[in-house]
Amino acid sequence: MPILPTNSTYRPPRWQFNAHIQTIYPSLFRKIPIDYKRERVELPDGDFLDLDWSLIEKSNRKKLVIVTHGLEGDSTRHYVTGMVKKLNDNGYDGLGWNCRSCSGEMNRLPRFYHHGDIDDIRFVVNYAIEKYNYEEVILVGFSMGGSMTLRLMGEKPEQLPNQVKFGIAVSVPLDLFTSVYELYKPGRRFYMKRFIDKLGKKIKVKATQHPNNQLLNHDGYKKIKNFEQFDDRYTARMFGFKNAHDFYHKAAAKPFLKSINIPTLIIQAKNDPFLSPECLDLGDATNNPNLHLQLLELGGHVGFMLPNSNETWVECRVIDFINGHKN
């Protein structure tokens, strides 16, 4: 695996002087408007997904980027729209898809989504290619979306459509087990609380939708204070894992990296408050020539803003990576 320079040329704006500001500021204040056209597609299991398309004018519908958001995100998050815009400007149609329950409307079935759940992203990729007969597809995933993207490429690489030429994963909790415990550390618990609160609101709605489904019982939810408790009670039971620890080990992307067979760029910040040191170590995938790991000293979690610009270093780097790996 090519290990790219850690220092690189990236420096955040001077006033973003720590990892929390680098993480939180773009999440709250960075706006990249995209004129999406929404399409609802029906899934084989009776549920639906909402796909948001950004089709460029005068496009020959040959090139597409598919962007997958993070936990409790959606297609309007700044990192999704920023990447879609950057690729639009470089001749690619864009597709930001929404995981179940993340598009502004709750999905029909009891199930949600998780880091290792690749059935829906596989459906989206195949559907998009068939819809417009794309010849070149780039997959980009952020945080949890990065886990899904890497799993899709590595779990059953023989099933990946030939049209998928590149993969990009940013701020990815490659080792779920240790990443969960990073958010237990002092000064980081507020991130976890925010996720637990958002997920709790959806569980409450789900409990109303499916009152006879005990997997969605909302009683006593206020006692849940961390991911381990949430995943023990909901994620593991809903998706057939033994417990939270079983889920963390089986859903992680890291064990599947060695099987990825297309050029793939993984970008991680060493100061990311969500990532453990194990997420910066790619283990037995080190010798996979298709993987390119870029570790940056700074950037936070899905931050990487540039000084005096509304673009991010990641968006610019992706274009360089793609252009540098085309025949």
Side-chain angles (χ1 to χ4, degrees), residues 35-41 48-54 74-76 95-98 102-105:
D35 185 20
Y36 280 136
K37 304 300 181 185
R38 174 158 291 187
E39 177 186 13
R40 176 161 293 183
V41 293
F48 66 89
L49 292 176
D50 285 331
L51 313 185
D52 289 327
W53 294 89
S54 178
D74 58 62
S75 65
T76 68
L95 172 58
W97 71 284
N98 300 275
C102 291
S103 65
E105 181 176 338

Short mmCIF file of all heavy atoms in Angstrom, two decimals, residues 35-41 48-54 74-76 95-98 102-105:
data_model
loop_
_atom_site.label_atom_id
_atom_site.label_comp_id
_atom_site.label_asym_id
_atom_site.label_seq_id
_atom_site.Cartn_x
_atom_site.Cartn_y
_atom_site.Cartn_z
N ASP A 35 -28.72 21.98 -6.39
CA ASP A 35 -30.09 21.89 -6.90
C ASP A 35 -30.42 20.43 -7.20
O ASP A 35 -30.39 19.98 -8.34
CB ASP A 35 -30.23 22.75 -8.16
CG ASP A 35 -31.67 22.80 -8.66
OD1 ASP A 35 -32.58 22.51 -7.86
OD2 ASP A 35 -31.87 23.10 -9.85
N TYR A 36 -30.69 19.69 -6.14
CA TYR A 36 -30.98 18.27 -6.29
C TYR A 36 -32.35 18.04 -6.92
O TYR A 36 -33.29 18.82 -6.73
CB TYR A 36 -31.00 17.60 -4.92
CG TYR A 36 -29.68 17.25 -4.30
CD1 TYR A 36 -29.44 17.51 -2.95
CD2 TYR A 36 -28.68 16.58 -5.01
CE1 TYR A 36 -28.24 17.15 -2.34
CE2 TYR A 36 -27.49 16.22 -4.42
CZ TYR A 36 -27.27 16.51 -3.08
OH TYR A 36 -26.10 16.14 -2.48
N LYS A 37 -32.45 16.92 -7.63
CA LYS A 37 -33.73 16.40 -8.08
C LYS A 37 -33.93 15.05 -7.39
O LYS A 37 -33.15 14.13 -7.59
CB LYS A 37 -33.76 16.23 -9.60
CG LYS A 37 -33.44 17.50 -10.38
CD LYS A 37 -34.43 18.62 -10.08
CE LYS A 37 -34.08 19.87 -10.90
NZ LYS A 37 -34.96 21.02 -10.55
N ARG A 38 -34.96 14.96 -6.56
CA ARG A 38 -35.15 13.76 -5.76
C ARG A 38 -35.91 12.69 -6.52
O ARG A 38 -36.88 12.96 -7.22
CB ARG A 38 -35.86 14.10 -4.45
CG ARG A 38 -36.22 12.87 -3.59
CD ARG A 38 -36.41 13.21 -2.15
NE ARG A 38 -35.13 13.57 -1.52
CZ ARG A 38 -34.98 13.79 -0.20
NH1 ARG A 38 -36.03 13.67 0.60
NH2 ARG A 38 -33.81 14.11 0.29
N GLU A 39 -35.45 11.46 -6.32
CA GLU A 39 -36.13 10.29 -6.87
C GLU A 39 -36.30 9.28 -5.75
O GLU A 39 -35.35 8.97 -5.03
CB GLU A 39 -35.31 9.67 -8.00
CG GLU A 39 -35.93 8.40 -8.56
CD GLU A 39 -35.04 7.70 -9.58
OE1 GLU A 39 -33.85 8.05 -9.68
OE2 GLU A 39 -35.55 6.79 -10.26
N ARG A 40 -37.50 8.78 -5.60
CA ARG A 40 -37.76 7.71 -4.63
C ARG A 40 -37.78 6.38 -5.37
O ARG A 40 -38.51 6.20 -6.35
CB ARG A 40 -39.07 7.94 -3.90
CG ARG A 40 -39.44 6.81 -2.93
CD ARG A 40 -40.46 7.23 -1.91
NE ARG A 40 -39.90 8.24 -1.00
CZ ARG A 40 -40.56 8.75 0.03
NH1 ARG A 40 -41.82 8.37 0.28
NH2 ARG A 40 -39.99 9.66 0.81
N VAL A 41 -36.98 5.45 -4.86
CA VAL A 41 -36.94 4.12 -5.48
C VAL A 41 -37.42 3.09 -4.47
O VAL A 41 -37.14 3.19 -3.27
CB VAL A 41 -35.52 3.78 -5.97
CG1 VAL A 41 -35.12 4.69 -7.12
CG2 VAL A 41 -34.49 3.87 -4.85
N PHE A 48 -38.12 1.85 0.93
CA PHE A 48 -37.75 2.78 -0.12
C PHE A 48 -36.47 3.51 0.25
O PHE A 48 -36.06 3.55 1.41
CB PHE A 48 -38.86 3.81 -0.36
CG PHE A 48 -39.09 4.75 0.79
CD1 PHE A 48 -38.38 5.95 0.89
CD2 PHE A 48 -40.00 4.45 1.79
CE1 PHE A 48 -38.57 6.82 1.96
CE2 PHE A 48 -40.20 5.31 2.87
CZ PHE A 48 -39.48 6.50 2.95
N LEU A 49 -35.83 4.08 -0.76
CA LEU A 49 -34.69 4.98 -0.57
C LEU A 49 -34.94 6.24 -1.37
O LEU A 49 -35.52 6.21 -2.46
CB LEU A 49 -33.39 4.33 -1.06
CG LEU A 49 -32.83 3.15 -0.29
CD1 LEU A 49 -31.59 2.60 -1.01
CD2 LEU A 49 -32.48 3.52 1.15
N ASP A 50 -34.48 7.38 -0.83
CA ASP A 50 -34.56 8.65 -1.54
C ASP A 50 -33.19 8.99 -2.10
O ASP A 50 -32.21 9.11 -1.35
CB ASP A 50 -35.06 9.75 -0.62
CG ASP A 50 -36.56 9.65 -0.36
OD1 ASP A 50 -37.27 9.14 -1.25
OD2 ASP A 50 -37.00 10.07 0.73
N LEU A 51 -33.12 9.15 -3.41
CA LEU A 51 -31.89 9.48 -4.11
C LEU A 51 -31.96 10.92 -4.58
O LEU A 51 -32.96 11.34 -5.15
CB LEU A 51 -31.68 8.57 -5.33
CG LEU A 51 -31.89 7.07 -5.14
CD1 LEU A 51 -31.53 6.34 -6.44
CD2 LEU A 51 -31.08 6.55 -3.99
N ASP A 52 -30.89 11.69 -4.35
CA ASP A 52 -30.84 13.08 -4.76
C ASP A 52 -29.79 13.23 -5.86
O ASP A 52 -28.59 13.05 -5.62
CB ASP A 52 -30.52 13.98 -3.56
CG ASP A 52 -31.69 14.06 -2.60
OD1 ASP A 52 -32.84 14.01 -3.07
OD2 ASP A 52 -31.47 14.15 -1.38
N TRP A 53 -30.26 13.59 -7.06
CA TRP A 53 -29.43 13.67 -8.25
C TRP A 53 -29.03 15.11 -8.53
O TRP A 53 -29.83 16.03 -8.39
CB TRP A 53 -30.18 13.14 -9.46
CG TRP A 53 -30.49 11.69 -9.45
CD1 TRP A 53 -31.61 11.09 -8.92
CD2 TRP A 53 -29.70 10.64 -10.01
NE1 TRP A 53 -31.56 9.74 -9.11
CE2 TRP A 53 -30.41 9.42 -9.78
CE3 TRP A 53 -28.49 10.60 -10.68
CZ2 TRP A 53 -29.92 8.19 -10.20
CZ3 TRP A 53 -28.00 9.37 -11.11
CH2 TRP A 53 -28.71 8.18 -10.86
N SER A 54 -27.80 15.29 -8.96
CA SER A 54 -27.32 16.57 -9.47
C SER A 54 -26.72 16.30 -10.85
O SER A 54 -25.55 15.95 -10.99
CB SER A 54 -26.26 17.17 -8.54
OG SER A 54 -25.76 18.39 -9.07
N ASP A 74 -27.17 13.04 5.93
CA ASP A 74 -28.06 12.92 4.77
C ASP A 74 -27.37 13.56 3.58
O ASP A 74 -26.24 14.05 3.69
CB ASP A 74 -29.42 13.57 5.04
CG ASP A 74 -29.32 15.05 5.39
OD1 ASP A 74 -28.85 15.83 4.55
OD2 ASP A 74 -29.72 15.43 6.51
N SER A 75 -28.04 13.59 2.46
CA SER A 75 -27.43 14.06 1.22
C SER A 75 -27.19 15.56 1.20
O SER A 75 -26.52 16.07 0.29
CB SER A 75 -28.31 13.68 0.03
OG SER A 75 -29.56 14.36 0.11
N THR A 76 -27.74 16.30 2.18
CA THR A 76 -27.54 17.75 2.21
C THR A 76 -26.38 18.17 3.09
O THR A 76 -26.08 19.37 3.18
CB THR A 76 -28.81 18.47 2.71
OG1 THR A 76 -29.03 18.16 4.10
CG2 THR A 76 -30.04 18.06 1.90
N LEU A 95 -24.68 11.96 -7.37
CA LEU A 95 -25.79 11.32 -6.68
C LEU A 95 -25.47 11.24 -5.20
O LEU A 95 -24.51 10.57 -4.79
CB LEU A 95 -26.03 9.91 -7.24
CG LEU A 95 -27.04 9.03 -6.48
CD1 LEU A 95 -28.40 9.71 -6.40
CD2 LEU A 95 -27.16 7.67 -7.15
N GLY A 96 -26.25 11.94 -4.39
CA GLY A 96 -26.19 11.80 -2.95
C GLY A 96 -27.39 11.00 -2.49
O GLY A 96 -28.52 11.45 -2.67
N TRP A 97 -27.17 9.81 -1.98
CA TRP A 97 -28.31 9.00 -1.55
C TRP A 97 -28.43 9.03 -0.04
O TRP A 97 -27.48 9.30 0.69
CB TRP A 97 -28.17 7.56 -2.07
CG TRP A 97 -27.12 6.73 -1.41
CD1 TRP A 97 -25.78 6.79 -1.62
CD2 TRP A 97 -27.33 5.69 -0.45
NE1 TRP A 97 -25.12 5.87 -0.85
CE2 TRP A 97 -26.04 5.17 -0.13
CE3 TRP A 97 -28.45 5.14 0.17
CZ2 TRP A 97 -25.88 4.13 0.79
CZ3 TRP A 97 -28.29 4.11 1.08
CH2 TRP A 97 -27.02 3.62 1.38
N ASN A 98 -29.64 8.77 0.43
CA ASN A 98 -29.95 8.84 1.85
C ASN A 98 -30.22 7.45 2.41
O ASN A 98 -31.05 6.71 1.86
CB ASN A 98 -31.20 9.71 2.07
CG ASN A 98 -31.01 11.12 1.57
OD1 ASN A 98 -30.49 11.98 2.27
ND2 ASN A 98 -31.43 11.38 0.33
N CYS A 102 -33.16 8.68 6.76
CA CYS A 102 -32.31 9.87 6.82
C CYS A 102 -32.70 10.96 5.82
O CYS A 102 -32.05 12.00 5.77
CB CYS A 102 -30.85 9.48 6.57
SG CYS A 102 -30.13 8.51 7.91
N SER A 103 -33.74 10.74 5.03
CA SER A 103 -34.07 11.69 3.97
C SER A 103 -35.10 12.73 4.38
O SER A 103 -35.52 13.54 3.56
CB SER A 103 -34.59 10.93 2.75
OG SER A 103 -35.82 10.28 3.04
N GLY A 104 -35.52 12.69 5.65
CA GLY A 104 -36.57 13.60 6.10
C GLY A 104 -37.89 12.89 6.31
O GLY A 104 -38.84 13.47 6.83
N GLU A 105 -37.96 11.64 5.90
CA GLU A 105 -39.16 10.82 6.10
C GLU A 105 -38.72 9.45 6.58
O GLU A 105 -37.81 8.85 6.03
CB GLU A 105 -39.95 10.69 4.79
CG GLU A 105 -41.22 9.89 4.92
CD GLU A 105 -42.02 9.85 3.63
OE1 GLU A 105 -41.84 10.76 2.80
OE2 GLU A 105 -42.82 8.91 3.44
#
